[in-house]
Amino acid sequence: MALDNGSTSKDPSVVKSQLRYGNTTPDQIDREREERLIRKLDFRVIPLVMVMYLFSFLDRINIGNARLYGLEKDLKMTNNNHQYQIVVSILFVTYCLFEVPSNLLLKKFSPSRYIAIIAIIWGLIATLSGLTQSYHELLACRVLLGLFEAGLFPGLITYLTLFYNKRAIALRVGYLFVAAAIAGAVGGLIAYGIGFMDGVGGYRAWRWIFIIEGAPSIVVGIMFWIFMPNDLDTSHFISLEDRAFLVMRREREVGQTASAQKFHWDDVKEGASDWKIWSFCIAQFGADTMLYGFSIFLPTIIHGIGSWTVPQAQALTIPVYTLGAVTYLVVAWISDKSQQRALYTCLFCAVSIIGYGLLISNNGSKAHYTGCFLVAMGLYVAVGIPLAWMPTNLPRYGKRTFATGLQVAIGNASGIMAPFLYPATDAGLAMILERSVSFLSEIVP
């Protein structure tokens, strides 16, 4: 009988692996390397993406701040013809019509260059909005602003999927919504400061809001052209070996082949007939109704629920947006780690519903302001997580770009409707209507 000397037989390959990695497995080494490279991507890609979307969102919603500083009076806009509501909503007509076509053109014209060009053009339009002298001139600017901003948001989501896999994408898409929340907070802060510039240079404060908040988009567009890569293959700040490693890691996911990353019209046709994509789009419409109703009218809502001055109302929007941004960032990180999307989407929809319940109630201004915080907590999670959820389940580029463009386009169509939920006349009743529709939009999907 052989004596047991306390050792056990081991496969030579296992022994070799332990000699190389110690107690750390090769998979753990790969994950650590991947996380290090993703942090490197984050450092280079995310800041400009966030800044660009921040100014884009700011250029869309700053008309809500401008309204409080005499926009309607100076341009002789009338309430009985709903001219303010038309100016707000007309942007979303061209915005929605051109989102899908623009997204399909993204890769054909080089992603980073295409995004840079549309940013420079809409920055010019947003800046020139501050020089308009009539309702019709402002209307024309809003039509063009929607046309050139149409490609940005779905384009940025698609752009991010060229760098990040499904275990990292929700947090990165989340950064876009953090940027939107920061835009709301910064917009209120800037508008608060610009309010004291009324009359400077012969311009009213609302004109300075458009000029000061529009011009930076031009600069960011130029920086995007110079500094941003098109995809992993052109990310020259990462070594060739590391780029190959990231591509290999992505191709381990189901359907992520080299052919899948090329544009095929058959993939677009398949996306158009996929009922799951249309279901996501319908739900997105409901969530975005809340987004635009809340974002555009938050300064007006806060001004109407208390006895605050206009500058105070602008300042009071800042903590609301800040809480929304922080909440989404935390939830997106947890969602990526746990790979749970539906759970957090439904849970935070419920948080917003509670917030709207407080806004509809007759419990006084403190309860109404608390409701604003609860709506903001759920708002960005309910809107943002599905926008990361669907594209990560569509590995083929053609289907993914079509689906993302359609999801954003149908969701943003709610922006056409949202301004009419809060007419200038009978503001108390209109406020209840806007909150009630947003409340129902959260329940129905």
Side-chain angles (χ1 to χ4, degrees), residues 62 65-66 69 185-196 205 209 213 311 314:
N62 60 10
N65 293 319
Y69 290 106
V186 169
L189 183 62
I190 293 174
Y192 175 79
I194 292 175
F196 298 102
I209 288 174
E213 295 182 0
Q314 299 283 11

Side-chain angles (χ1 to χ4, degrees), residues 192-242:
Y192 175 79
I194 292 175
F196 298 102
M197 292 178 62
D198 196 31
V200 173
Y203 290 139
R204 294 292 307 275
W206 68 265
R207 294 186 183 277
W208 283 116
I209 288 174
F210 287 135
I211 293 168
I212 291 174
E213 295 182 0
S217 295
I218 303 170
V219 178
V220 176
I222 295 170
M223 293 176 66
F224 210 92
W225 178 288
I226 296 170
F227 296 112
M228 298 299 275
N230 285 316
D231 50 28
L232 283 174
D233 291 336
T234 58
S235 299
H236 299 299
F237 54 92
I238 297 176
S239 71
L240 186 61
E241 181 184 356
D242 285 340

Side-chain angles (χ1 to χ4, degrees), residues 86-391:
I86 292 171
V87 163
V88 173
S89 66
I90 197 68
L91 177 146
F92 294 98
V93 175
T94 48
Y95 193 94
C96 295
L97 286 175
F98 288 93
E99 278 179 311
V100 173
S102 179
N103 221 33
L104 295 178
L105 292 172
L106 183 69
K107 206 164 189 178
K108 181 176 178 62
F109 290 103
S110 174
S112 64
R113 301 291 189 268
Y114 184 75
I115 291 171
I117 289 169
I118 61 175
I120 293 168
I121 295 173
W122 97 61
L124 285 168
I125 295 166
T127 304
L128 293 174
S129 298
L131 304 179
T132 54
Q133 299 298 322
S134 69
Y135 160 70
H136 292 98
E137 288 180 8
L138 182 60
L139 195 67
C141 284
R142 298 287 290 181
V143 169
L144 292 173
L145 192 63
L147 172 64
F148 287 101
E149 280 199 26
L152 182 71
F153 187 62
L156 286 179
I157 293 177
T158 302
Y159 181 71
L160 290 174
T161 64
L162 300 175
F163 298 93
Y164 298 98
N165 62 23
K166 67 188 300 180
R167 297 193 66 85
I169 192 65
L171 181 60
R172 278 73 198 179
V173 172
Y175 290 141
L176 298 180
F177 285 92
V178 170
I182 294 172
V186 169
L189 183 62
I190 293 174
Y192 175 79
I194 292 175
F196 298 102
M197 292 178 62
D198 196 31
V200 173
Y203 290 139
R204 294 292 307 275
W206 68 265
R207 294 186 183 277
W208 283 116
I209 288 174
F210 287 135
I211 293 168
I212 291 174
E213 295 182 0
S217 295
I218 303 170
V219 178
V220 176
I222 295 170
M223 293 176 66
F224 210 92
W225 178 288
I226 296 170
F227 296 112
M228 298 299 275
N230 285 316
D231 50 28
L232 283 174
D233 291 336
T234 58
S235 299
H236 299 299
F237 54 92
I238 297 176
S239 71
L240 186 61
E241 181 184 356
D242 285 340
R243 277 180 269 160
F245 170 77
L246 288 173
V247 171
M248 178 197 70
R249 294 287 287 182
R250 185 175 65 187
E251 288 180 350
R252 288 184 183 181
E253 297 175 0
V254 176
Q256 291 281 6
T257 63
S259 174
Q261 301 313 307
K262 297 179 180 178
F263 182 84
H264 302 287
W265 278 108
D266 287 342
D267 294 334
V268 176
K269 294 174 184 176
E270 184 181 340
S273 61
D274 191 334
W275 68 269
K276 296 186 292 295
I277 290 174
W278 290 97
S279 297
F280 264 94
C281 293
I282 293 168
Q284 197 70 42
F285 179 89
D288 282 9
T289 298
M290 175 174 66
L291 173 68
Y292 287 114
F294 190 75
S295 299
I296 293 172
F297 293 109
L298 183 60
T300 306
I301 290 171
I302 291 178
H303 187 248
I305 63 177
S307 56
W308 297 293
T309 65
V310 170
Q312 287 173 334
Q314 299 283 11
L316 287 170
T317 64
I318 297 169
V320 177
Y321 284 118
T322 302
L323 179 63
V326 172
T327 301
Y328 186 80
L329 198 61
V330 172
V331 174
W333 182 83
I334 295 171
S335 176
D336 268 344
K337 292 297 182 183
S338 65
Q339 286 294 286
Q340 290 285 340
R341 312 298 192 199
L343 172 65
Y344 299 111
T345 301
C346 295
L347 178 63
F348 280 86
C349 276
V351 173
S352 285
I353 288 170
I354 294 170
Y356 275 113
L358 286 175
L359 283 169
I360 294 171
S361 71
N362 294 317
N363 292 328
S365 60
K366 291 182 179 179
H368 291 160
Y369 190 50
T370 301
C372 291
F373 282 96
L374 293 177
V375 172
M377 282 183 67
L379 170 63
Y380 295 104
V381 176
V383 173
I385 292 293
L387 287 166
W389 184 4
M390 185 169 70

